[in-house]
Amino acid sequence: MRALVLFASMLAGPVPPPAIAVQWRSGAEGDEPDASLRASVRELIAGRDGRAPESVMDRALDRARVAVSRELPADLRERQRSLRAGLDEADGAYRGGRFDDARAELAEVLDRLHETPELPGAAASAREAHLLAAKIAWALGEVELAEAALADALRVDPEAQLSVREAAPELVERHQAIQSALLAGRDRDWIEPQLSLPDGATGLSVEIDGVPGSRPLPPGPHFMVVRRDGHEPVAAWRGADQPWTPSLGAERVPNDPNAATATDAIDAIDAICEVLALDLLVVAERRGARVGLQAHRCGAGFGPLWIGPRDQLGEGIAVALDGPFESASASLPGPWPVVLVEPPAGPVDDEVGPVERPWYRRGWVWGTSAGVAAAVVGGVVAGVLVGGRDRAPASLDIDANDFIGGL
């Protein structure tokens, strides 16, 4: 039975490692982590299962905010695949001489593009569809329809070239003639789009026909998209001369850099997990010389909190990643315990005899001078705090009872 399970797992292929990202808290009590600390955490996480450190994402919040405005959700990715398949089917029908089937497929592709203008490459796909429509019309002797389709293709990409490897030489000549006339009228006929962006909104970017920024456009409809990090994109298929005041898309990932770890912001954690398709999100924070780590298993909960010095990060990563992930809220943003280092007490044994006074309680320390006493005690206390144990200087071997009256 065990051999059968092993064979089945071999057929299924290796199990991909869990997707992990790191989010550092800063501001409030947290200090900004330096680059080497960020790299150390990622390398230690990667070392747990032998993956490349680059596969552990850093700055999860920033990545998620950018992804929301630029990456496609699953339903739009499926539409994009379907659209690509439709273009391939139309091209196959054209090459097979089934012009009516090709035209029907192209009409459906263009309808889908106009319904989802936010699709990456929408303008390029539209140009491809219009060029194919021009080739079909040219093959049928429909010169006016072919020229109209060429004009539609050039409207969304006026600088594009058409090669004789893609179309008949006569059709390429018509393309060049229409393009020359279009470019010649740039200063006279082209229109600056009238976009009115919301007052006070920051971080907005405009993309028209797949090209960033606003610019004069040939008359006619274009693919227009307004993006803002953390928000869903807003898109439209509009004429260049049509005024447009786009509303901001819904914010899916908050902009507050600490919201991802606040106890009342589990929705933000879930949003980061969903957008980046994570299995684990490791939340980290540096406060002075100490580092705090707490992991969240996406869809489950938070694991134990680890707080410790930087040179013990390996231990902290193990605690954070091993779970269990049973807490509904993060404890990392709260107060951290104060670390108190006390010198250990000396040995006590009643049977041995009188207890020897600790060296810092002996009279000679305080009977010489205040400056010497402060220097000696201060140096040893510093050694206690750093080294963790009480060590008297090796050169001090005087018995205080010999000259201070047996105090």
Side-chain angles (χ1 to χ4, degrees), residues 18 244 246 269 404:
W244 184 34
I269 286 281
I404 201 167

Side-chain angles (χ1 to χ4, degrees), residues 2 26 83 339 384 390:
R2 182 177 179 182
S26 61
L83 187 144
V339 177
V384 171
D390 187 351

Side-chain angles (χ1 to χ4, degrees), residues 363-404:
W364 68 266
V365 174
W366 314 109
T368 53
S369 71
V372 173
V376 174
V377 176
V380 176
V381 170
V384 171
L385 293 178
V386 174
R389 66 178 184 272
D390 187 351
R391 294 178 298 183
S395 61
L396 299 179
D397 55 0
I398 303 173
D399 185 353
N401 291 326
D402 291 344
F403 65 93
I404 201 167

